[in-house]
Amino acid sequence: MPRQVFFYEHPDRFVAGTVGQPGQRTFFLQATASGRTTSVALEKTQVAALAERIDELLDEVVRRSGGNAPVPAVAPTELHDTAPLDVPVEEEFRVGTMALAWDGAHDRMVIEAQALVELSGEDEDDLEAAEEEMLQDDENGPPLLRVLLTGAQARSFAKRALDVVSAGRPPCPLCSLPLDPEGHVCPRQNGYRRSA
């Protein structure tokens, strides 16, 4: 079966968002253009890592260009997107591997999110080799979401993604684990329940 690639060269919208209540949230990346929407599920830690790496890469692009790259230092307020995900949110796949690059010829950030690959086998080296071969297979590899963003769009995506990640449950002031509305068993309180 040929590889399915969801390609957004000029997205109208590319955001990270969630479905569900804090503590029960499912995280998504969602790209929209010309009436077409693609949603892929991923972990909270993947969203945070993606946002941080985007900011780091954009900072490096600005540094290497001597400040001449079309990349704002902060997310432009006119691109700030606080709207919920477009519904219905239909998961195309769960993200396993992500990649970032800067296309200097077109001044665009390239973001790729590839489907989680599950392989079975006995030898770990054989599994790693099989996974690498599958990920590199442009014709028959796992589904892929590829989005191209301007520097301003990428900064705005990163800001929203970090906001979404931090909008979950507040941390316990003692142990930093997330507090549920009914509290949690705090390891710093010798197992006694700590309330919010």
Side-chain angles (χ1 to χ4, degrees), residues 18-42:
T18 63
V19 173
Q21 296 299 314
Q24 306 288 318
R25 299 186 298 171
T26 302
F27 287 78
F28 289 93
L29 298 178
Q30 190 176 72
T32 305
S34 305
R36 165 175 82 108
T37 299
T38 302
S39 302
V40 296
L42 68 171

Side-chain angles (χ1 to χ4, degrees), residues 88-136:
V89 178
E90 296 174 358
E91 177 183 322
E92 295 293 340
F93 59 84
R94 178 157 289 282
V95 175
T97 306
M98 295 185 292
L100 290 176
W102 180 258
D103 178 356
H106 299 101
D107 291 325
R108 294 279 188 269
M109 170 77 65
V110 180
I111 300 171
E112 291 185 347
Q114 194 162 249
L116 182 65
V117 176
E118 293 186 27
L119 300 172
S120 60
E122 296 180 23
D123 185 3
E124 190 172 314
D125 290 336
D126 290 343
L127 281 176
E128 287 179 16
E131 180 181 29
E132 187 62 31
E133 183 179 327
M134 181 178 280
L135 294 176
Q136 300 302 324

